[in-house]
């Protein structure tokens, strides 16, 4: 199946000889909505009337209470590729999927689809609650383009994958939301689509069913099915998609390799989209009368040469430097560090304590810099908060900094990983097979002298 939405005849002429491996082309697509239902209906009547008299309905300008949900979005998808769609809620991801699937038309631009699409946007939403699961399978899969004979041939596979069992002949209103979603997912993936549109539906069951979904998606991709995946789970995007598009308020903010796009998204989401003017956190001096004896004056990261680092890189050496002002001599001083990844709800990713490592210090009055050296930074790319506190012995907190923000960039070797593992590779020559068999025989026949 091939279809096209367009607002200019020249758009088709410019793309009439596309790459045969390209199954999806989105070119300069824009879509607007109206915040008022009454005005939306009025504008709809206006547009229908305009279309009937042969005019163009794609208005280049916004009318009262209208807004752009998508604006000038372009992308391409080839056979067997997986493309990630990243963005905050309301950025236009689902709207774009609905345009691609043919549910709604764009106001400007065009979409070209070559092949069958299976939209996994709202699983089970199209099921009739009064019909049985069996009846809904036939109705749903026929809408997705299969004949009755094809559905009958695949029926048992659909039921087995969905794990519906005896409930297949019960009305869908008696299903749990998870059962309906599993059945909808199973129907879609058994239509042999050329393109799968996946919108936050990879959590439709327990861990066992989720693993089956991933295995099935892998098989489909090996057979040439292309994916467009929307997910707020960074690891799902990183593990499945090599290329991604980042939408921000309906506009393409960035497109390219998934690691770089995800890093930009997290920076915008958690750090406000602006890099720090200074990569050093300076704290105002505290009078001696208000101090507990030792104050944190500044925090920064440096490279081994002593240069301040604006951003860190996974796998590279780095030194955390905490500058201190001591108003008196103190013993048993130690530093505690909690690294928290912003995309994981502030959960502690790494905790380091001087007392745990038996690294406590005798501090004289004056200025000092406490340094923690990391030969290889193991943190994955992303945005982080660092909590720093300086203590005397284990319990007495002298000073604390709740959140020092920083970002970690990819070194190009962190794909699909949650931490950086230092490693080296080598090829070791081995003896021939006869020598290996003799060595194995010697090991099996070996008797320890104490036995």
């Amino acid at each position: 199946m091939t279809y096209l939405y367009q607002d200019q005849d020249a758009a088709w002429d410019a793309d009439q000889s596309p790459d045969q491996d390209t199954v999806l082309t989105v070119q300069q697509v824009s879509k607007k909505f109206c915040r008022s239902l009454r005005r939306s209906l009025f504008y709809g009547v206006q547009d229908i009337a305009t279309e009937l008299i042969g005019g163009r309905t794609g208005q280049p300008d916004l009318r009262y209470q209208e807004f752009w949900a998508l604006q000038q979005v372009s992308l391409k998808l080839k056979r067997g590729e997986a493309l990630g769609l990243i963005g905050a809620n309301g950025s236009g991801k689902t709207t774009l999927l609905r345009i691609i699937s043919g549910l709604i038309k764009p106001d400007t631009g065009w979409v070209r689809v070559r092949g069958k699409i299976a939209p996994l946007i709202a699983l089970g939403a199209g099921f009739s609650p009064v019909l049985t699961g069996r009846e809904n399978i036939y109705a749903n899969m026929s809408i997705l383009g299969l004949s009755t004979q094809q559905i009958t041939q695949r029926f048992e596979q659909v039921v087995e994958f969905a794990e519906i069992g005896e409930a297949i002949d019960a009305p869908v209103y008696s299903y749990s939301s998870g059962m309906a979603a599993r059945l909808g997912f199973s129907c879609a993936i058994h239509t042999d689509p050329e393109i799968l549109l996946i919108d936050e539906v990879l959590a439709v069951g327990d861990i066992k069913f989720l693993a089956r979904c991933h295995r099935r998606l892998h098989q489909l991709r090996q057979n040439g099915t292309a994916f467009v995946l929307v997910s707020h789970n960074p690891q799902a995007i990183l593990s499945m998609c090599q290329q991604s598009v980042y939408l921000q308020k309906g506009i393409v903010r960035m497109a390219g390799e998934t690691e770089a796009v995800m890093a930009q998204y997290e920076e915008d989401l958690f750090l406000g989209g602006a890099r720090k003017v200074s990569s050093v956190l300076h704290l105002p001096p505290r009078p001696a009368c208000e101090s507990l004896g030792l104050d944190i004056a500044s925090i920064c990261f440096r490279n081994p040469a002593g240069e301040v680092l604006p951003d860190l890189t996974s796998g590279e050496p780095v030194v955390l430097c905490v500058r201190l002002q001591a108003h008196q001599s103190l013993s048993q001083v130690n530093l505690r560090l909690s690294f928290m990844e912003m995309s994981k709800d502030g959960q502690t990713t790494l905790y380091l304590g001087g007392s745990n490592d038996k690294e406590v210090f005798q501090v004289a009055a004056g200025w000092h810099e406490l340094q923690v050296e990391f030969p290889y930074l193991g943190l994955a790319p992303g945005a982080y908060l660092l909590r720093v506190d300086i203590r005397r012995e284990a319990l007495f907190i002298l000073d604390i900094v709740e959140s020092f923000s920083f970002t970690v960039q990819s070194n190009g070797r962190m794909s699909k990983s949650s931490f950086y593992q230092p490693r080296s590779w080598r090829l070791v020559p081995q003896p021939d097979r006869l020598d290996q068999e003799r060595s194995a025989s010697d090991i099996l026949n070996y008797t320890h002298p104490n036995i």
Side-chain angles (χ1 to χ4, degrees), residues 291-311:
S291 172
L292 295 177
L294 185 64
D295 301 327
I296 299 174
S298 66
I299 302 173
C300 69
F301 289 100
R302 300 180 187 271
N303 61 21
E307 300 169 331
V308 175
L309 296 172
D311 295 296

Side-chain angles (χ1 to χ4, degrees), residues 33-45 47 66:
F33 294 109
C34 184
R35 290 187 171 91
S36 168
L37 177 60
R38 180 177 296 179
R39 285 193 172 271
S40 178
L41 294 173
F42 174 70
Y43 293 151
V45 172
D47 291 341
E66 286 187 331

